[in-house]
Amino acid sequence: MQSHQLKSVGVRIVYKGLVIFQYLMDGKSEDIWLKRKERTVIESGHSSYYTFLHQDQYSTWIDNDNYTLGGGGFPITENQQVVGAICISGLKHDEDHQLIVEILRKLLKEDHL
């Protein structure tokens, strides 16, 4: 995994409409980007990075302050339905996405999920 220790990030995990975890590292305050990424994931049914790669499908969100077309939001699914989101903000958007992917891969490898 790449080293991200030098930058402060915010992490938000939402499940069935409830914030089950939120942590803002030193230097981070309430981060609207976490909420924007969450909303993007929940309403699109995809990662926020997916919406970045498919901006033509989400063109009405480009100038909408409620959404973001950039990485850092990842869906939590149950029975093929999106029921929550894992969001990270504070790095470049593709690094936010990659950090989530790396953490999930590590957890799956260690059999924690």
Side-chain angles (χ1 to χ4, degrees), residues 9-51:
V9 298
V11 179
R12 180 181 177 95
I13 301 174
V14 177
Y15 178 72
K16 294 187 177 179
L18 298 173
V19 176
I20 60 168
F21 179 82
Q22 182 162 304
Y23 181 72
L24 303 172
M25 294 177 73
D26 289 343
K28 298 299 272 182
S29 60
E30 175 62 27
D31 194 342
I32 191 65
W33 288 101
L34 292 170
K35 292 178 183 175
R36 290 175 74 172
K37 291 176 184 193
E38 173 192 341
R39 192 172 296 114
T40 298
V41 169
I42 299 298
E43 293 190 27
S44 72
H46 298 282
S47 73
S48 59
Y49 192 70
Y50 177 93
T51 65

